[in-house]
Amino acid sequence: MPLNPSWVTSANSADTDFPLNNLPYGVFSTDTLDARCGVAIGDMILDMYAAEEQGVIDLTDEPLFDVPFWNELMEQGPAVWTALRNRLTDLLAEGSKDRALVEPLLVPISDARLHMPLVVSEFTDFYAGRHHATNVGTMFRGAENALPPNWLHIPIGYNGRASSVVVSGTDIRRPWGQLKSPDHDTPAFLPSRRFDLELEMGAIVGMASDGPISVDEADAAIFGYVLLNDWSARDIQAWEYQPLGPFQAKATATSISPWIVTKAALGPFRTPTPEREFEFLDHLKDTGPMLYDIDLSVTLAPGGKDATTIAQTNYNEMYYSAAQQLAHHSTSGCPMNVGDLLGSGTISGPTKPERGSLLELSWGGKEPLTLDTGDTRTFLEDGDTLTLAGHAKGDGYRIGFGTCTGTLLPALDDPYKR
């Protein structure tokens, strides 16, 4: 599919994340405007609250954009999702008869503060990248036992904390936790010493369900995607994860990018899941290409210094699609809600530069990573800024997500010493 030209000239650049083919959804405010829904187009944001108030956007009998989140639109279902995308395309396309109505409703992105684009109902994080799972398993169990027996049959996941999901640009505080040293028999309560990032994609559920749903029904229920960094305290996790898995190690924060890229925008970039080693049970079988060809990268900038690209990979490296993850999540009868967020699991490729976590890049701390600044890292240090970026490449354009950024702040003083 070629570039769809817009009268917003900045949207026609091959370097913008937000051409007319994209139209991602976010929430913004300015010095004079309260937080409200907006659609990115080039270097501008279309004010959806004003567009609806002035009748430029009129989709339903009740307003959808009088609140600073996109859940109201999600609840309307795919027919309204499509109607909005078609209307936005008509309004912003080159030669649109409505340009005079829309142009006053545009706000420069440079003047905007970006906020959480949705109310997260629940958060589930998966462990569904084969290269990542193999790397981690090899480190802790050896190559012969790298993958648990169930891994090639079901997408493994855990229920996280929706309350700890934050938008890009939010600082992250190094957590305290119970740590166990191999040199001591008992644990100590200390700040995490092995704090890490996880490069992931997040799928947003736009349709509620109550009972098992198929892979195709799950795919239809997905509203869009965001970049996701599931910050992880590896030392806290090492002590707590047996026998029940991640808990406090993953509860500090999960950062997401501020723009929701819709499934429709990503449609031209669908790609198949990898060849299966075992045939899936019926409820998980592949029904078509449900992954996406999205280039991903991570940069690390020590405090006050330039950034180094530490990882480059692609979302097509996943073993399970978001639709398979969502379908499996529903098998027990677990109700899924509008605004549920599903983390893909760490996305790594087959080579070292494609590893999506410092745990893998430094091989558990044994192989320090040297940055362009000359600094070395095994895990994150205070003041480090992590930036995730991603885009799908079209013919003369790209579908981008913006960035997902967070800076690690030092741990507070012992919270239990009064």
Side-chain angles (χ1 to χ4, degrees):
M1 179 183 292
L3 172 70
N4 194 354
S6 170
W7 55 262
V8 181
T9 55
S10 59
N12 302 325
S13 167
D15 296 326
T16 183
D17 275 348
F18 310 131
L20 185 58
N21 304 60
N22 192 349
L23 300 176
Y25 302 148
V27 170
F28 76 100
S29 65
T30 70
D31 290 342
T32 58
L33 298 175
D34 294 333
R36 59 194 55 208
C37 292
V39 176
I41 177 73
D43 58 6
M44 308 294 283
I45 302 173
L46 174 60
D47 182 342
M48 293 297 291
Y49 173 81
E52 186 175 58
E53 189 176 51
Q54 296 181 26
V56 177
I57 300 287
D58 184 16
L59 299 174
T60 60
D61 292 336
E62 297 296 325
L64 298 176
F65 304 113
D66 58 343
V67 289
F69 44 80
W70 284 84
N71 300 59
E72 297 287 323
L73 175 72
M74 294 184 219
E75 290 176 354
Q76 299 302 310
V80 176
W81 305 349
T82 300
L84 175 60
R85 183 170 176 82
N86 290 341
R87 177 59 174 157
L88 290 170
T89 300
D90 289 344
L91 292 172
L92 295 165
E94 188 174 69
S96 171
K97 62 181 178 57
D98 295 310
R99 176 174 178 173
L101 293 175
V102 177
E103 199 159 14
L105 308 179
L106 296 178
V107 176
I109 289 179
S110 58
D111 292 345
R113 291 180 295 276
L114 301 178
H115 306 276
M116 281 288 293
L118 75 156
V119 177
V120 178
S121 299
E122 307 282 355
F123 171 52
T124 302
D125 191 47
F126 286 87
Y127 183 59
R130 184 167 186 173
H131 298 296
H132 172 70
T134 300
N135 287 336
V136 174
T138 299
M139 272 184 258
F140 294 109
R141 293 185 297 274
E144 291 185 359
N145 299 304
L147 294 178
N150 60 354
W151 200 94
L152 295 169
H153 298 275
I154 59 171
I156 298 171
Y158 69 93
N159 289 309
R161 291 287 302 173
S163 62
S164 65
V165 180
V166 297
V167 73
S168 173
T170 304
D171 292 335
I172 308 302
R173 181 73 64 178
R174 183 183 294 274
W176 285 74
Q178 227 185 75
L179 313 182
K180 174 69 165 59
S181 167
D183 302 324
H184 298 90
D185 293 331
T186 57
F189 189 70
L190 297 166
S192 172
R193 297 165 176 172
R194 292 162 67 93
F195 202 60
D196 200 0
L197 77 138
E198 289 190 344
L199 169 60
E200 303 191 24
M201 294 290 296
I204 296 168
V205 178
M207 294 171 62
S209 60
D210 188 5
I213 59 175
S214 69
V215 170
D216 285 331
E217 289 169 333
D219 185 59
I222 294 173
F223 180 69
Y225 292 82
V226 292
L227 302 173
L228 187 149
N229 182 356
D230 191 37
W231 304 86
S232 299
R234 302 297 186 186
D235 40 8
I236 297 174
Q237 185 175 357
W239 174 234
E240 74 178 5
Y241 85 104
Q242 297 187 42
L244 293 181
F247 184 43
Q248 291 302 91
K250 301 282 192 171
T252 299
T254 297
S255 300
I256 65 170
S257 52
W259 297 105
I260 302 171
V261 175
T262 63
K263 187 175 55 185
L266 292 171
F269 307 98
R270 282 184 180 262
T271 188
T273 45
E275 184 177 346
R276 304 309 186 185
E277 195 161 322
F278 299 98
E279 185 177 3
F280 285 159
L281 297 179
D282 288 345
H283 76 283
L284 281 178
K285 284 184 178 177
D286 299 283
T287 61
M290 289 188 182
L291 286 178
Y292 297 94
D293 182 6
I294 301 171
D295 288 328
L296 300 166
S297 65
V298 181
T299 65
L300 191 160
K305 298 183 181 181
D306 292 338
T308 298
T309 298
I310 62 171
Q312 292 179 296
T313 187
N314 193 291
Y315 185 44
N316 62 18
E317 295 289 352
M318 297 305 298
Y319 195 76
Y320 295 94
S321 68
Q324 287 167 320
Q325 293 170 342
L326 177 54
H328 184 68
H329 205 324
S330 74
T331 54
S332 65
C334 172
M336 304 304 297
N337 300 314
V338 171
D340 281 352
L341 176 65
L342 307 182
S344 63
T346 304
I347 306 167
S348 296
T351 67
K352 185 172 183 178
E354 297 174 88
R355 297 174 183 172
S357 68
L358 280 170
L359 176 66
E360 297 167 86
L361 287 166
S362 72
W363 206 249
K366 297 177 181 177
E367 302 173 8
L369 183 71
T370 301
L371 307 179
D372 294 345
T373 58
D375 298 87
T376 60
R377 289 291 184 275
T378 52
F379 293 94
L380 298 175
E381 296 187 9
D382 295 342
D384 286 350
T385 297
L386 275 296
T387 301
L388 280 54
H391 62 267
K393 296 177 183 176
D395 181 9
Y397 71 97
R398 67 188 191 190
I399 301 296
F401 291 77
T403 57
C404 178
T405 299
T407 298
L408 182 60
L409 302 181
L412 296 172
D413 293 339
D414 187 342
Y416 294 104
K417 285 187 176 178
R418 301 290 189 254

